[in-house]
Amino acid sequence: MTQTQAWWVYQGTGTPHNGIDRLPAAPPWRAFRHGGGGRPTEPPRAPDGDAHRRHLGRRGQGMAYQVGLREKHLVNLALHLRRPLLLTGKPGTGKSTLAYAVAHELKLGPVLRWAITSRSTLKDGLYEYDAVGRLYDAGLAKEGAARDPGADPVPPPDIGRYLSLGPLGTALLPWRRPRVLLIDEIDKSDMDFPNDLLNVFEEGEFVIPELARLGRGRQTVTTADRTEADVFDGEVACAQFPFVVLTSNEEREFPMAFLRRCIRLEIGPADKDQLTGMVAAHLGAPGVGGNSGSAEVRAKIIAQFLAKQREVGTLANDQLLNALLMAERGLWDTEEGRSLLGDDLLRPLDRG
């Protein structure tokens, strides 16, 4: 390991390891307390069939995302400094895939993904309380008691059954290892949303008023992983600040207060080696394991993709995957098919 790599926790190799255990303590200004009476727990294991497979290749290996030196540096800066990583770049350049690559290599469990829309609010990411469902169930219990006056009184439904944590709320539970939280396409949010995130990012905790009103005690709630977690005294407080990845398609500007709290990384178009690695992870090596593709054809299409990207406009990586898949299914065999591949499957996104 070279001197410039000695401080890295994330190596960008795609091979899972326990490097996260070597992460030094948080700097004093980013140290978070763990509230409540529970002990930090291990994140759940990422199942074989989850979104990691779609993002990182059919064998579930992190080799699909070929990271460069700058990406490795900035990911590790975000890990050391406990700061969100803001990724900007054109659509289809693999921004969200970086979150899955880090989670896979550092064995941080399933990625908690929060897809942002124009209607998204901070509370959506923290928790959801089904008050109507609880009132309905309480009404049914009262009706049952009225039909049988001699029965024992029915206690009100446990509030925890009707409260589920969102992706951000789940990420802030007291995990022993940091969870990976992907806040996808943040530029779709309303103008106040980035600033709304700041307090939670700064404090690493939040209060659930519906639970806090009950006083001190433990309540069991559902997480975004579809498991259960204990919340003490109505407060969720992290033991390890999550590795937060925010993606932006460069469609808006963000407040200075928000930007100064983020590590910022612009993701540019992939080069030939990165595309070749991505294709191999998703489609397999030509002529291996039943793959009938030709290495020569694959190289020609990748070269065509790169040339179009340089000369005529924006192309997304998944367009290349679509073109190669159809080429290996026979589209490359005729002049008409090759024309269809170049004119339609590899059509620049910024052209009508």
Side-chain angles (χ1 to χ4, degrees):
M1 184 178 292
T2 66
Q3 184 176 2
T4 58
Q5 297 172 325
W7 60 282
W8 285 357
V9 175
Y10 171 66
Q11 302 292 329
T13 63
T15 302
H17 57 79
N18 293 315
I20 194 67
D21 294 333
R22 296 188 292 102
L23 183 66
W29 57 92
R30 293 296 291 161
F32 298 96
R33 68 182 186 86
H34 163 218
R39 292 186 296 179
T41 57
E42 291 286 345
R45 182 177 178 180
D48 292 338
D50 76 347
H52 285 70
R53 175 176 301 202
R54 289 188 287 107
H55 283 267
L56 300 181
R58 61 183 179 180
R59 290 182 296 277
Q61 303 301 312
M63 301 305 291
Y65 193 81
Q66 308 286 313
V67 291
L69 181 62
R70 179 170 173 77
E71 285 86 349
K72 294 175 188 177
H73 279 320
L74 294 185
V75 165
N76 282 287
L77 282 175
L79 287 166
H80 278 263
L81 298 175
R82 276 65 169 184
R83 289 295 185 185
L85 181 65
L86 175 61
L87 301 182
T88 59
K90 300 298 183 182
T93 52
K95 298 185 296 297
S96 61
T97 304
L98 179 57
Y100 291 88
V102 173
H104 172 81
E105 182 175 320
L106 297 182
K107 301 194 290 189
L108 301 181
V111 171
L112 297 162
R113 180 174 180 267
W114 183 11
I116 301 301
T117 71
S118 60
R119 298 181 299 277
S120 296
T121 66
L122 177 63
K123 186 174 177 295
D124 295 333
L126 294 176
Y127 74 96
E128 179 180 353
Y129 174 49
D130 184 9
V132 174
R134 188 171 186 236
L135 287 173
Y136 179 76
D137 289 348
L140 291 179
K142 288 181 179 180
E143 289 180 8
R147 288 194 297 267
D148 188 4
D152 294 334
V154 178
D158 182 4
I159 191 173
R161 290 170 47 195
Y162 305 91
L163 198 146
S164 57
L165 298 180
L168 175 55
T170 299
L172 293 174
L173 285 169
W175 304 105
R176 192 180 74 81
R177 293 182 170 195
R179 295 298 300 275
V180 175
L181 171 65
L182 171 61
I183 303 180
D184 215 4
E185 299 191 346
I186 189 174
D187 40 7
K188 289 183 177 179
S189 65
D190 69 26
M191 296 302 296
D192 295 329
F193 182 79
N195 283 331
D196 291 342
L197 289 172
L198 289 183
N199 184 60
V200 176
F201 284 167
E202 288 299 296
E203 301 301 325
E205 60 186 59
F206 68 99
V207 172
I208 301 174
E210 293 85 352
L211 299 185
R213 284 195 290 266
L214 301 178
R216 301 185 65 84
R218 180 181 68 180
Q219 292 287 340
T220 301
V221 301
T222 304
T223 73
D225 293 313
R226 299 180 183 177
T227 60
E228 292 184 341
D230 292 331
V231 174
F232 294 85
D233 309 331
E235 183 181 73
V236 176
C238 69
Q240 298 289 337
F241 189 72
F243 177 66
V244 181
V245 175
L246 306 120
T247 71
S248 166
N249 291 331
E250 301 179 315
E251 295 176 356
R252 61 176 282 191
E253 295 183 354
F254 296 104
M256 292 295 294
F258 176 77
L259 292 176
R260 74 178 180 86
R261 289 171 170 86
C262 296
I263 303 296
R264 298 160 65 183
L265 171 61
E266 183 175 355
I267 301 292
D271 60 22
K272 177 182 175 182
D273 291 339
Q274 290 174 315
L275 291 175
T276 301
M278 177 197 73
V279 169
H282 285 283
L283 299 181
V288 177
N291 186 299
S292 60
S294 161
E296 181 182 0
V297 169
R298 185 172 290 187
K300 288 181 178 179
I301 296 175
I302 290 175
Q304 181 181 1
F305 175 86
L306 288 169
K308 276 202 166 190
Q309 197 169 56
R310 288 191 300 267
E311 296 169 9
V312 296
T314 302
L315 293 172
N317 293 347
D318 54 359
Q319 288 178 272
L320 174 63
L321 288 174
N322 292 338
L324 286 168
L325 176 66
M326 295 311 301
E328 293 176 3
R329 292 182 177 179
L331 197 62
W332 190 261
D333 298 343
T334 66
E335 183 177 348
E336 180 184 16
R338 290 191 291 273
S339 177
L340 184 66
L341 186 150
D343 295 341
D344 292 273
L345 292 182
L346 297 182
R347 183 173 183 171
L349 300 177
D350 52 1
R351 290 199 170 187

